[in-house]
Amino acid sequence: MTYAIAIIAFFYTVNTIERMKVGIICLDSINNIGEEILYDTTNFLISSPGIETYKVSLYPNFEKAKHKILFLIRSFCALCIHTAGEKLLKGDLRYKVINYAFKIKLKKYYQEELKNADAIIYALGMLKFKKQNFSYLFNLINSEATRNNIPVFMDAMSIAKADKTDWRYQQLVKAINLPCTRIITTRDGIDGLNRLNTDYITNHEIRTNFVGDPALWIPECYNISPRRKESDVIGINVIREQTYVDYGINFTHVKDMYISLINELNKHGYKWKLFTNGIKSDIDLAKQIVAHFNLPSTILLPPPRSVEEYLSAITQFQVVFGARLHACITAVALDIPVVGLLWDDKLRYFAKTMKIPTFFCETNELEGKTILKKIQEAMNLKYDKQNINSYKFRTKLEIDNFIDKCT
């Protein structure tokens, strides 16, 4: 009888121990399958029996709001203020007004979502301030975490070039150096780490390091064997036309580049298919390319409805011509040769850390013959597995260290 009571008491104790709650900040509202992969693989690396993870949307929509009417009212007010700031103001005042708009819309949401978190991990991949309003949002999240004494880990960030005259850069620096921040890692290698430490870190109690992108753990996360299949199809990943211009690069012929490449592939008898990561502007350009060649719509793979569908498509390719970063990372993780574009430093650093920079295209190489030559050379590409594994385990080690300290 005594033993039975002891056993019951033991199982009662185990089942009633409160598990550590980790909120994972993610981009889940822009229809980019790469962001879903980043969340899933980060979640996989965190998961253990004593941890409960949950998703916190960086850009919550109506469906995610708990108090929907209030969310709509705040969103409408924020939209009016944001629009006025964009159209009527300039300089720092413009950014301050937009910052206020985000505060009106999202402060209550973050308060509600983060109040029960024991730790917060960013699974976004970018420390930037000129795109996607990250400085405003990171400031809201980290301010809330500081008020509630919640430790924060900003994992595997690509580090944007500093602009000390930009108010948003100054805000981002303040946000990431708040007392809540324990660790910031970069996926940009030693170069990114130097940029992070030199241009961003002022609170030297924050630990910094370079790691691999969590998506390198795709095989383990989704239980897929990284092996090359017999295939003669080249996968062409399409990205929107304005990408280079929006990132400050004077290259406006993205559509022409794809057409030139396809003409060369056709001339040499190669099979190919177009695919996207699911973003509407990418899909729109892909459809234009299909229409240009007057080909059946099946030459463009459907937008991925799940990560598994996306991975299944990529595993059928002999080589991937990658435009989006996570198309390139996915190919590497699955041991599929990749040739890539260089429209942002994050791709340049990825190519360098994976020891494949010659397979990524500078703007003066963006024409069919040159790209095809790189694709042909990539068919025999053998990745440095030891190097890739070293980056993978750096990622895992930093996450484990953070979780251990939080518990």
Side-chain angles (χ1 to χ4, degrees):
M1 183 68 176
T2 304
Y3 288 122
I5 293 172
I7 292 170
I8 292 170
F10 171 78
F11 280 108
Y12 176 79
T13 302
V14 169
N15 288 328
T16 54
I17 290 175
E18 188 172 348
R19 293 192 294 172
M20 178 181 174
K21 294 184 177 67
V22 180
I24 303 177
I25 311 294
C26 62
L27 274 167
D28 63 347
S29 56
I30 60 173
N31 295 322
N32 183 350
I33 205 73
E35 299 297 342
E36 192 170 335
I37 290 172
L38 191 51
Y39 169 80
D40 285 351
T41 49
T42 301
N43 189 36
F44 170 79
L45 291 169
I46 297 168
S47 296
S48 75
I51 295 175
E52 175 187 339
T53 62
Y54 68 98
K55 185 181 289 188
V56 181
S57 177
L58 189 69
Y59 292 113
N61 54 29
F62 177 76
E63 287 74 20
K64 297 180 188 302
K66 293 181 180 177
H67 308 289
K68 298 189 184 302
I69 300 302
L70 289 175
F71 183 80
L72 282 177
I73 293 171
R74 288 196 295 267
S75 297
F76 177 75
C77 294
L79 177 61
C80 294
I81 294 170
H82 191 292
T83 303
E86 283 277 8
K87 293 186 178 298
L88 302 177
L89 302 174
K90 294 183 179 180
D92 290 357
L93 182 58
R94 175 189 187 188
Y95 299 137
K96 290 176 182 179
V97 169
I98 294 172
N99 180 61
Y100 183 63
F102 277 105
K103 193 172 182 178
I104 289 173
K105 180 178 179 179
L106 295 177
K107 183 177 180 179
K108 293 292 184 184
Y109 167 80
Y110 291 138
Q111 285 178 341
E112 186 70 25
E113 289 296 309
L114 300 177
K115 66 182 180 182
N116 294 320
D118 298 306
I120 295 168
I121 293 183
Y122 282 76
L124 298 168
M126 286 298 297
L127 199 64
K128 60 183 179 180
F129 52 94
K130 292 187 177 182
K131 300 289 179 185
Q132 294 175 294
N133 304 303
F134 278 14
S135 72
Y136 312 125
L137 303 177
F138 288 10
N139 182 62
L140 282 172
I141 293 167
N142 285 7
S143 295
E144 189 62 29
T146 298
R147 274 192 293 272
N148 290 281
N149 197 29
I150 306 169
V152 168
F153 177 18
M154 308 184 81
D155 181 35
M157 297 286 191
S158 286
I159 313 300
K161 291 178 182 176
D163 181 354
K164 296 182 180 180
T165 65
D166 193 310
W167 185 88
R168 296 165 297 177
Y169 164 76
Q170 297 165 17
Q171 182 189 42
L172 181 59
V173 170
K174 290 177 183 177
I176 69 171
N177 284 282
L178 286 170
C180 64
T181 308
R182 303 290 193 270
I183 307 175
I184 304 177
T185 58
T186 175
R187 62 188 176 191
D188 291 348
I190 191 66
D191 296 317
L193 181 61
N194 290 336
R195 181 183 285 181
L196 173 64
N197 287 330
T198 301
D199 296 334
Y200 286 87
I201 298 299
T202 60
N203 176 2
H204 295 289
E205 293 184 4
I206 297 172
R207 174 179 169 80
T208 61
N209 205 347
F210 66 90
V211 297
D213 189 289
L216 291 172
W217 286 84
I218 281 173
E220 295 84 357
C221 179
Y222 300 101
N223 195 26
I224 298 176
S225 297
R227 63 181 185 275
R228 302 188 185 191
K229 296 182 179 179
E230 292 298 325
S231 172
D232 58 356
V233 179
I234 295 166
I236 304 175
N237 184 221
V238 180
I239 198 168
R240 62 192 177 87
E241 281 199 85
Q242 284 295 112
T243 299
Y244 282 87
V245 173
D246 287 348
Y247 279 80
I249 300 172
N250 185 25
F251 182 78
T252 59
H253 306 293
V254 173
K255 181 179 177 181
D256 293 339
M257 171 197 71
Y258 282 114
I259 290 172
S260 174
L261 171 59
I262 291 168
N263 279 330
E264 289 298 317
L265 292 172
N266 289 342
K267 185 191 301 183
H268 291 84
Y270 286 104
K271 297 178 183 177
W272 55 271
K273 285 201 171 184
L274 303 177
F275 73 101
T276 71
N277 284 23
I279 298 173
K280 184 180 182 303
S281 53
D282 297 351
I283 297 168
D284 289 343
L285 178 56
K287 288 180 177 178
Q288 291 176 36
I289 295 168
V290 172
H292 174 87
F293 287 98
N294 194 27
L295 291 168
S297 60
T298 52
I299 202 72
L300 168 61
L301 297 182
R305 293 168 295 183
S306 67
V307 174
E308 288 77 10
E309 186 174 286
Y310 181 77
L311 298 179
S312 177
I314 288 185
T315 57
Q316 303 306 312
F317 297 137
Q318 180 185 19
V319 178
V320 166
F321 177 53
R324 292 282 174 190
L325 175 62
H326 278 92
C328 299
I329 296 175
T330 298
V332 171
L334 295 175
D335 195 32
I336 297 167
V338 67
V339 173
L341 299 179
L342 293 170
W343 49 267
D344 185 62
D345 280 350
K346 63 186 178 184
L347 287 134
R348 188 177 302 279
Y349 287 136
F350 173 71
K352 185 176 180 179
T353 57
M354 296 296 103
K355 299 184 177 180
I356 50 173
T358 58
F359 293 101
F360 280 66
C361 305
E362 302 286 354
T363 52
N364 63 355
E365 299 175 308
L366 296 180
E367 52 86 28
K369 290 182 180 179
T370 303
I371 299 172
L372 176 57
K373 184 179 178 182
K374 286 181 181 285
I375 288 174
Q376 290 168 331
E377 291 170 352
M379 290 176 181
N380 297 313
L381 173 61
K382 294 186 184 300
Y383 293 117
D384 184 335
K385 300 293 182 61
Q386 185 175 353
N387 176 62
I388 293 171
N389 285 334
S390 73
Y391 276 94
K392 288 174 65 173
F393 285 104
R394 292 178 77 95
T395 311
K396 177 63 174 167
L397 181 62
E398 291 296 340
I399 288 176
D400 288 346
N401 285 341
F402 175 69
I403 296 297
D404 287 345
K405 289 179 180 178
C406 290
T407 54

